[in-house]
């Protein structure tokens, strides 16, 4: 039996989680989403682009809202299929972002007369390198499908609207060294220690505030994650800091990337734009709004509170039908 898009979005979330869809392996989930949309949302035009599925209404409304969600996950860690414990649903992708996908798919199938024309974009390869991101491929090959007045991405945001009026990019600063036993630390080269230079620059960074038409935008360059270490008695040979740069709209993405490279000059850094920024670059107001908790994304115990799925569905239904 295929996906039932009209089922409770909590049930639909579990069904999506139970379909393994590690990045580059989204064909099955794309097949099932495409089949379900064609059968259960006849008011939508549906097309396939690689392992991305796109659908849209053409009702002649004066505005268009785009709902976008990626269907891939990081590699599962013995957390597929999903399992339920009280109000919590566990499983790979429950938070990032199959619960958001379920909300969007359910609304597409159950809102017959939306107040806005709707576009639904379920895309692949978001969790890996930016060059593989299905949203970028759609922008190159089917740009008219990304035309909208507002874009809502179902990324985990804790059930709160994460405004995309500020640009945002992710930066990963990486340090490498030589692995050794900690009892003979002089034989190694500690990668974690090398991250001190990154953290020092971030702690001294003075973020600017910009007044644009009476609205003050406060930028921020912040470390949000540190990865490194192998065991309690091993000198690590690699470590990294993930940094988030929130920048005012008077900077282009290219200018923001250049600024980060300037601040972190001499360090090994890579920059990736987020998908909200992709829409901002197209001149489309974009927000993240999903039921998942961003702090749980990619964790072995990744889970979502099912009440957040219901609340997000109700809020978006009110917005799309008002």
């Amino acid at each position: 039996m295929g996906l039932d898009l009209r089922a409770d979005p909590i049930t639909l979330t579990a069904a999506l989680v139970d379909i393994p869809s590690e990045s580059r392996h989204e064909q099955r989930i794309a097949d099932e989403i495409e089949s379900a949309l064609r059968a259960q949302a006849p008011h939508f035009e549906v097309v396939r682009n690689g392992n991305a599925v796109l659908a849209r209404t053409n009702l002649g409304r004066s505005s268009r809202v785009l709902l976008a969600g990626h269907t891939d996950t990081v590699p599962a860690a013995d957390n597929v299929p999903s399992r339920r414990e009280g109000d919590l649903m566990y499983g790979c992708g429950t938070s990032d972002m199959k619960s958001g996908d379920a909300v969007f798919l359910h609304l597409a199938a159950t809102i017959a007369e939306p107040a806005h024309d709707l576009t639904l974009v379920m895309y692949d390869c978001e969790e890996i390198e930016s060059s593989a991101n299905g949203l970028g491929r759609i922008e190159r090959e089917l740009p008219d499908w990304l035309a909208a007045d507002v874009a809502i991405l179902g990324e985990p945001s804790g059930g709160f609207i994460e405004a995309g009026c500020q640009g945002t990019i992710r930066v990963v600063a990486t340090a490498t060294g030589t692995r050794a036993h900690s009892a003979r630390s002089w034989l190694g080269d500690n990668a974690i220690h090398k991250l001190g230079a990154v953290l020092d620059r971030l702690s001294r960074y003075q973020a600017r505030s910009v007044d644009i038409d009476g609205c003050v935008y406060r930028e921020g360059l912040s470390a949000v994650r540190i990865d490194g270490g192998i065991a309690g008695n091993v000198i690590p040979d690699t470590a990294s800091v993930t940094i988030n740069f929130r920048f005012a709209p008077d900077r282009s993405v290219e200018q923001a990337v250049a600024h980060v490279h300037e601040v972190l000059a001499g360090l090994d850094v890579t920059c990736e734009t987020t998908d909200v920024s992709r829409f901002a670059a197209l001149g489309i107001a974009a927000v993240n709004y999903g039921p998942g908790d961003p702090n749980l994304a990619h964790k072995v115990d990744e889970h979502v509170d099912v009440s957040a799925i219901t609340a997000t569905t109700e809020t978006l239904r009110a917005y799309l039908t008002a």
Side-chain angles (χ1 to χ4, degrees):
M1 183 177 178
L3 295 172
D4 182 0
L5 305 186
R6 296 191 175 97
D8 188 298
I10 296 171
T11 302
L12 182 54
T13 296
L16 292 172
V17 172
D18 292 349
I19 302 173
S21 57
E22 181 181 340
S23 302
R24 302 190 191 278
H25 299 280
E26 302 98 326
Q27 181 174 343
R28 179 187 163 194
I29 197 168
D31 288 346
E32 296 211 23
I33 288 173
E34 179 185 10
S35 176
L37 282 170
R38 291 188 184 280
Q40 300 168 42
H43 50 304
F44 277 81
E45 172 192 3
V46 180
V47 301
R48 181 77 172 258
N49 177 270
N51 284 329
V53 181
L54 302 90
R56 66 185 175 190
T57 63
N58 295 291
L59 303 172
R61 303 293 194 255
S62 61
S63 57
R64 179 174 292 275
V65 176
L66 187 149
L67 306 174
H70 65 82
T71 58
D72 64 319
T73 69
V74 296
D78 293 324
N79 54 354
V80 173
S82 61
R83 61 184 173 87
R84 180 84 175 265
E85 293 184 6
D87 289 335
L88 302 182
M89 181 186 298
Y90 289 82
C92 185
T94 46
S95 182
D96 186 15
M97 56 169 288
K98 290 185 175 180
S99 54
D101 292 339
V103 170
F104 291 168
L105 289 165
H106 175 78
L107 292 172
T110 57
I111 298 178
E113 292 292 334
H116 319 269
D117 267 308
L118 302 180
T119 299
L120 184 69
V121 178
M122 298 280 105
Y123 61 100
D124 53 318
C125 290
E126 189 273 345
E127 297 289 5
I128 54 176
E129 64 271 16
S130 182
S131 60
N133 190 309
L135 199 57
R137 186 183 67 250
I138 294 165
E139 182 180 351
R140 294 189 299 272
E141 299 178 4
L142 299 170
D144 62 302
W145 276 82
L146 299 184
D149 297 284
V150 176
I152 301 173
L153 288 85
E155 290 284 3
S157 65
F160 294 95
I161 292 175
E162 185 179 75
C165 54
Q166 278 191 303
T168 176
I169 58 177
R170 282 191 297 264
V171 182
V172 179
T174 303
T176 58
T178 303
R179 188 180 302 192
H181 196 290
S182 60
R184 295 173 175 80
S185 59
W186 61 90
L187 298 178
D189 183 16
N190 196 311
I192 291 178
H193 292 179
K194 292 182 176 180
L195 293 178
V198 180
L199 299 177
D200 182 56
R201 292 193 198 184
L202 293 176
S203 66
R204 290 187 286 109
Y205 180 76
Q206 296 294 314
R208 66 176 189 145
S209 295
V210 184
D211 188 319
I212 301 176
D213 296 329
C215 184
V216 176
Y217 294 85
R218 293 180 173 85
E219 294 188 329
L221 187 64
S222 309
V224 294
R225 182 185 179 94
I226 294 181
D227 293 285
I230 303 153
N233 60 351
V234 178
I235 302 300
D237 57 355
T238 184
S240 65
V241 178
T242 301
I243 302 160
N244 181 232
F245 182 39
R246 299 281 173 156
F247 55 93
D250 63 334
R251 294 191 201 261
S252 67
V253 172
E254 292 76 17
Q255 289 170 331
V257 170
H259 177 68
V260 171
H261 279 294
E262 180 183 358
V263 173
L264 301 177
L267 302 173
D268 182 9
V269 299
T270 57
C271 298
E272 293 186 354
T273 59
T274 66
D275 290 339
V276 163
S277 292
R278 290 179 187 271
F279 284 102
L282 295 173
I284 300 170
V287 300
N288 285 328
Y289 181 55
D293 182 341
N295 296 314
L296 299 173
H298 305 175
K299 291 183 175 293
V300 173
D301 66 342
E302 181 178 357
H303 59 272
V304 64
D305 189 322
V306 298
S307 65
I309 300 175
T310 301
T312 302
T313 304
E314 292 175 349
T315 298
L316 281 177
R317 185 182 298 279
Y319 169 66
L320 296 175
T321 58

